[in-house]
Amino acid sequence: MTRLIVWRHGNTDWNAGARVQGQTDVPLNELGRRQAADAAELLVRLRPAAIVASDLSRAADTAAALAGRTGLPISTDERLRERFFGDWQGLTMTEVAETRPEEHARWTAGEDVIGGGVETLDDLGKRVSEALLDAALLAPPGGVVVVATHGAAARQGVGHLLGWPREQLRTLRALQNCHWVELTHDEARGWQMSAYNVGVFADRPVPPPV
């Protein structure tokens, strides 16, 4: 049974400030680097066969913490980038709500099309799920692949891969920084979620998945 670990990156200053990152290349902060190192201590026990990461530094550097413990190379895939948030990028969520209230209301309601140049959920789910499927091929049957990506990207990509409607996907809380989803695959049942929001810092507040 193949296992796919979909891992959210560590904390950044923009996470801490509730600022919309999207595809802005914001680096890990000190907490994020520590989270990545601690999470890698758990993930190395899974004996991954391959590591894949978004090319944005906060995800690639999170993956590097695990690569340093396994000796595995990191394959980067830009399809694993966070949702593109268009005109929202760089704003705090409070600023978005104040200056773009209609778009913010659509986002809060979980609508697919937001406006303001924000990538649709459908497009996000398609590109991330395609990257996840390609990543899974890097392991032999029964192997483990770890994929370092982003909050919204992880949730939407996993949901698209499982064939979940948006209404069902909205019942999942946001992934905490450096937490992950575990998916398994076999020929009889296809892809299934076996664990969600697994990680070291279970008692920490959940930053927005942006």
Side-chain angles (χ1 to χ4, degrees):
M1 180 178 291
T2 299
R3 298 167 73 185
L4 190 61
I5 306 298
V6 185
W7 186 20
R8 187 187 179 192
H9 62 78
N11 193 262
T12 71
D13 287 345
W14 282 25
N15 284 147
R19 194 172 296 278
V20 181
Q21 294 178 121
Q23 295 187 7
T24 308
D25 198 6
V26 182
L28 296 176
N29 58 23
E30 182 179 352
L31 171 60
R33 291 189 292 273
R34 188 166 70 247
Q35 288 174 330
D38 289 346
E41 291 294 336
L42 294 181
L43 291 171
V44 71
R45 302 174 193 174
L46 301 180
R47 298 184 178 180
I51 303 172
V52 185
S54 158
D55 62 344
L56 297 178
S57 63
R58 59 189 183 273
D61 289 347
T62 297
L66 179 60
R69 286 160 175 75
T70 62
L72 293 169
I74 300 171
S75 300
T76 58
D77 189 334
E78 66 180 17
R79 293 176 298 174
L80 294 168
R81 288 183 178 187
E82 181 58 291
R83 185 179 188 181
F84 181 64
F85 274 87
D87 296 335
W88 294 26
Q89 293 184 175
L91 301 177
T92 65
M93 291 307 296
T94 298
E95 289 169 341
V96 172
E98 291 175 348
T99 63
R100 314 181 78 89
E102 293 182 0
E103 294 171 8
H104 185 266
R106 288 192 287 269
W107 176 76
T108 302
E111 294 185 19
D112 183 29
V113 180
I114 301 300
V118 179
E119 184 177 13
T120 68
L121 290 172
D122 188 54
D123 286 346
L124 174 64
K126 285 178 180 176
R127 69 168 169 85
V128 176
S129 64
E130 288 171 358
L132 294 177
L133 287 173
D134 285 346
L137 297 176
L138 297 176
V144 177
V145 177
V146 176
V147 178
T149 182
H150 308 262
R155 188 164 57 170
Q156 204 65 33
V158 164
H160 197 275
L161 188 63
L162 295 172
W164 288 9
R166 287 201 303 276
E167 294 76 15
Q168 183 178 1
L169 195 54
R170 278 174 56 78
T171 66
L172 294 176
R173 64 177 295 185
L175 278 177
Q176 291 179 294
N177 285 116
C178 259
H179 281 53
W180 58 87
V181 185
E182 181 175 335
L183 303 174
T184 59
H185 183 273
D186 63 40
E187 294 301 324
R189 289 172 289 187
W191 287 102
Q192 295 184 307
M193 182 186 293
S194 58
Y196 185 82
N197 233 345
V198 181
V200 180
F201 300 99
D203 59 341
R204 302 241 173 172
V206 182
V210 295

